[in-house]
Amino acid sequence: MSTTTTLQKAGDPTGEPGSAQPSDGLKAGLKNRHLSMIAIGGVIGAGLFVGSGGGIAKAGPAILISYALVGAMVVFVMRMLGEMAAASPNSGSFSAYADRALGRWAGFSIGWLYWFFWVVVLAVEATAGAVILEGWVPAVPQWAWALIVMAVLTVTNLGSVASYGEFEFWFAGIKVVAIGAFVIVGMLAVFGVLPGSDNPGAGFAHLTDTGGFIPNGWGSILTGVLMVVFSFMGSEIVTLAAGESEDPRRAVTKATNSVIWRIGVFYLGSIFIVLTLLPWNDKSIVEKGSYVAALDSIGIAHAGQIMNVIVLTAVLSCLNSGLYTASRMAFSLGERGDAPKAFAKVSKKGVPTAAILGSVVFGFIAVYFNYAYKDTVFDFLLNASGAIALFVWLVICLTQLRMRKILVREAPEKLTVKMWLFPYLTWATAAMITFVLGYMVYDDGNRKTVMLSLLVAAVVVVIGVVRNARRKAAVDA
């Protein structure tokens, strides 16, 4: 088989470096500034703003180790994904690579599971945004706000990929500026040099003055890992979006190389500031949220409302990217014959209309379940999708092990980004992800999530294997 043919199956139809126009009908409408901001903002979800307080309460200052461990895992996964995406940009990303490296059943299974994960996220984020908006305009009921938000972003995605990129550029930009300002202002307050600050400026004393750096024992670090891992979901979105950019390989390479400082500044940096401004066991961290509590300690007026605006921005960003990601995965599945053929068709503007509408319809249904059957149907959907992102990361590890050999054999010149210490670090990352999944089974609070996610994954894998067997039987016949 020729190099060009092989890489077409891996998702690179042209085989030409930096191809500015995808041959699958999608438009190269994302500019470099769009991709740069998607890459930066992709790892900043609402979970960082809303969920970090619970992790701090469980692990104390040692939550920084939890964030560092998960951050390292994400850096390694992104490096592996970057290696494959730089060699072969594709709107299906890891699903297309798994299809080539592990088999059609693998690409089918991980593609549909990832789609399922994001359409459930649509309902979660739409509801979260609706709660904030209802607080500002109570005359409009919460369910109506959820539908309005979903409808607006659906129209945006239907317009053009450039519309998605422009919205995400500004959404992500607000998050980045907000966290950057928080880190700078917080650091000044930590050392007592911020004019008018109410914070005593204790320096780094709060990291150890309340029971030490690891007040709740080493086991709390693992508990913290489970609590923070989900706030990192979405870092892989840039590799899907790169397929519709002006220079896919350059965009992927840049995003992959910058992921270390992005995680270091936005996650570790901002949580470090919270922990140095307040004792870790301060009740306000859980009651108000870690960032609001930190801003209150500095003396910034209306901290809660300021943070609500930022959280709403993060929610809208996640919704926007979630709809984009789900639709492009559905489009890729349609192209490969693993989804309805209509999903692979694009409009005159180069957007997969049917894939977008199919994804958003399921999202609307999930929103309905969130209000009508919250404790039954929606609880099942939420738990059944909870661990899927970890499955995706594990599949990326296994796929990269095979894809590296294929690329070395058939197109070594395309290995412009390489995984460090291959294959040892790839195996180590896969082992760490497996350990986290195993620990979730052991942990009472996460057992239901991982077991239901495994159940759904098993069903999808069986369907994928059966489809693959039937396809082979038809060819042989």
Side-chain angles (χ1 to χ4, degrees):
M1 184 180 291
S2 69
T3 298
T4 303
T5 304
T6 300
L7 289 178
Q8 280 181 353
K9 288 190 176 183
D12 185 8
T14 65
E16 294 299 322
S19 175
Q21 182 61 48
S23 66
D24 52 16
L26 298 175
K27 297 290 185 182
L30 293 176
K31 298 179 180 179
N32 288 333
R33 66 181 178 89
H34 293 152
L35 262 293
S36 296
M37 197 57 74
I38 290 170
I40 294 172
V43 292
I44 309 172
L48 174 63
F49 301 106
V50 178
S52 54
I56 292 172
K58 287 287 185 181
I63 195 69
L64 288 171
I65 300 177
S66 303
Y67 272 102
L69 288 172
V70 178
M73 188 165 67
V74 172
V75 167
F76 298 150
V77 169
M78 281 297 294
R79 187 73 184 183
M80 295 176 227
L81 188 52
E83 175 181 297
M84 296 183 287
S88 172
N90 183 271
S91 59
S93 187
F94 47 83
S95 174
Y97 310 143
D99 193 309
R100 171 70 183 103
L102 304 178
R104 291 294 300 273
W105 66 270
F108 171 91
S109 302
I110 206 64
W112 276 114
L113 286 171
Y114 196 65
W115 178 87
F116 173 59
F117 170 79
W118 278 109
V119 291
V120 173
V121 167
L122 291 181
V124 174
E125 298 296 338
T127 304
V131 170
I132 296 173
L133 290 167
E134 186 190 31
W136 294 343
V137 187
V140 179
Q142 194 180 113
W143 64 266
W145 276 122
L147 294 181
I148 290 170
V149 168
M150 287 273 285
V152 169
L153 293 179
T154 299
V155 171
T156 299
N157 276 266
L158 286 172
S160 68
V161 69
S163 299
Y164 156 72
E166 200 63 32
F167 267 71
E168 191 57 24
F169 176 81
W170 292 107
F171 286 156
I174 291 172
K175 291 188 290 184
V176 169
V177 170
I179 294 183
F182 175 79
V183 170
I184 293 171
V185 171
M187 188 59 72
L188 293 175
V190 165
F191 290 107
V193 294
L194 183 68
S197 174
D198 295 338
N199 194 278
F204 302 141
H206 288 322
L207 294 176
T208 56
D209 63 5
T210 312
F213 186 75
I214 310 177
N216 296 327
W218 289 95
S220 65
I221 295 174
L222 291 177
T223 302
V225 164
L226 300 186
M227 298 186 73
V228 307
V229 68
F230 300 105
S231 63
F232 283 86
M233 305 309 184
S235 54
E236 65 285 333
I237 290 174
V238 68
T239 63
L240 280 80
E244 295 176 78
S245 69
E246 297 169 337
D247 190 346
R249 289 185 176 84
R250 180 175 177 273
V252 167
T253 301
K254 186 176 180 181
T256 302
N257 290 336
S258 65
V259 70
I260 297 176
W261 72 260
R262 287 186 277 127
I263 289 174
V265 171
F266 298 125
Y267 279 84
L268 289 172
S270 60
I271 297 300
F272 177 81
I273 292 299
V274 172
L275 290 166
T276 49
L277 287 174
L278 292 165
W280 68 269
N281 59 354
D282 191 303
K283 292 182 179 180
S284 65
I285 291 178
V286 174
E287 293 172 354
K288 299 180 180 179
S290 56
Y291 289 82
V292 173
L295 291 173
D296 278 343
S297 77
I298 296 173
I300 294 180
H302 310 296
Q305 286 303 319
I306 292 172
M307 193 51 58
N308 272 340
V309 172
I310 297 170
V311 170
L312 179 62
T313 302
V315 164
L316 294 176
S317 172
C318 191
L319 260 175
N320 195 37
S321 287
L323 181 52
Y324 171 84
T325 305
S327 65
R328 283 348 183 242
M329 187 58 74
F331 168 80
S332 179
L333 289 165
E335 270 201 316
R336 287 175 274 145
D338 290 332
K341 291 182 179 180
F343 283 5
K345 295 180 179 179
V346 298
S347 68
K348 292 180 180 179
K349 294 182 179 179
V351 298
T353 304
I356 292 173
L357 293 177
S359 300
V360 81
V361 164
F362 194 96
F364 276 125
I365 293 172
V367 168
Y368 168 74
F369 285 147
N370 194 12
Y371 288 101
Y373 305 102
K374 184 177 180 65
D375 297 326
T376 53
V377 179
F378 189 74
D379 181 65
F380 170 80
L381 292 175
L382 199 60
N383 282 287
S385 64
I388 284 174
L390 287 170
F391 300 162
V392 168
W393 292 352
L394 184 59
V395 168
I396 289 172
C397 294
L398 300 178
T399 300
Q400 190 261 340
L401 287 167
R402 296 288 302 275
M403 280 297 292
R404 167 66 76 90
K405 295 178 181 178
I406 294 172
L407 288 167
V408 167
R409 182 175 67 246
E410 300 176 359
E413 72 280 359
K414 290 181 178 286
L415 279 170
T416 55
V417 176
K418 290 185 178 182
M419 177 59 183
W420 308 296
L421 298 176
F422 178 84
Y424 308 108
L425 200 49
T426 300
W427 280 116
T429 305
M432 184 177 180
I433 296 169
T434 304
F435 175 79
V436 171
L437 286 168
Y439 193 74
M440 287 178 71
V441 176
Y442 170 79
D443 183 75
D444 292 339
N446 289 279
R447 186 177 299 118
K448 181 179 179 181
T449 294
V450 73
M451 296 307 292
L452 284 178
S453 295
L454 281 170
L455 175 63
V456 170
V459 170
V460 176
V461 168
V462 168
I463 294 173
V465 170
V466 171
R467 280 175 55 88
N468 196 39
R470 288 181 175 176
R471 186 181 288 114
K472 286 183 178 180
V475 172
D476 294 339

